[in-house]
C-alpha cells in the first residue's frame, strides 16, 4: 500500500456546546464509523482550542479513498443534521471547514 494522504482542517464550535459535542462523539454511531472507514478515512482525530472554540481535525486517507462521496451518503447527512445545532455549518448542514496548509512534518 502506498503512502497515505494526511489532511487537516478547522471547524467552529458554538459557545456552550463543548460538552455535548464531546458526548456525541464519545457515542459515535457505529454505522457512521463504518461509513468513514469504507470511504478510506483512518487515524482521524479532532482537537479543541477551548479559548476560541475552534476544532482542529486531522485525518489520513487511504489510496483510492472516496471522501468526496461522503456528502451524498445518507448516514453522513443524518450526522450533519444531528450536529448542526452545535457548530457553524454550510447551507447543506455540513460543518464549515477551513483547510489548513501543511507547514512541517516529522516522522
Amino acid at each position: 500500500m502506498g503512502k497515505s494522504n494526511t489532511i487537516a482542517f478547522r471547524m467552529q464550535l458554538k459557545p456552550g456546546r463543548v460538552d455535548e459535542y464531546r458526548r456525541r462523539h464519545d457515542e459515535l454511531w457505529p454505522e457512521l464509523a463504518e461509513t468513514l472507514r469504507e470511504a478510506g478515512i483512518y487515524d482521524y482525530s479532532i482537537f479543541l482550542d477551548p479559548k476560541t472554540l475552534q476544532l482542529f481535525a486531522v485525518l489520513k486517507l487511504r489510496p483510492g479513498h472516496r471522501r468526496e462521496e461522503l456528502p451524498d451518503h445518507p448516514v453522513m447527512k443524518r450526522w450533519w443534521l444531528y450536529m448542526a445545532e452545535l457548530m457553524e455549518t454550510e447551507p447543506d448542514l455540513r460543518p464549515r471547514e477551513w483547510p489548513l496548509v501543511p507547514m512541517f512534518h516529522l516522522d
Side-chain angles (χ1 to χ4, degrees):
M1 189 174 280
K3 187 173 174 77
S4 69
N5 184 21
T6 302
I7 62 170
F9 53 92
R10 74 172 179 85
M11 299 173 286
Q12 186 65 48
L13 199 56
K14 293 179 179 176
R17 301 311 215 154
V18 171
D19 292 339
E20 184 61 16
Y21 184 90
R22 180 184 302 276
R23 185 190 70 76
R24 291 184 188 190
H25 280 79
D26 286 348
E27 299 171 1
L28 190 72
W29 306 338
E31 64 269 29
L32 177 59
E34 184 59 27
T35 298
L36 295 173
R37 287 186 190 104
E38 287 175 358
I41 294 172
Y42 71 105
D43 197 11
Y44 187 180
S45 297
I46 300 173
F47 300 87
L48 172 69
D49 178 346
K51 195 171 200 176
T52 65
L53 298 180
Q54 291 181 348
L55 298 164
F56 168 75
V58 62
L59 58 87
K60 293 183 181 179
L61 297 167
R62 297 192 189 287
H65 72 86
R66 296 182 322 278
R67 182 176 184 249
E68 68 282 353
E69 296 174 9
L70 287 173
D72 297 321
H73 198 287
V75 172
M76 196 82 259
K77 288 181 180 187
R78 280 196 344 260
W79 180 257
W80 289 342
L81 176 63
Y82 180 56
M83 296 300 291
E85 66 184 350
L86 306 181
M87 55 199 316
E88 290 186 18
T89 65
E90 299 294 347
D92 66 357
L93 300 183
R94 79 175 72 191
R96 286 191 69 199
E97 290 183 7
W98 291 267
L100 298 173
V101 178
M103 299 294 287
F104 173 77
H105 175 79
L106 176 69
D107 274 329

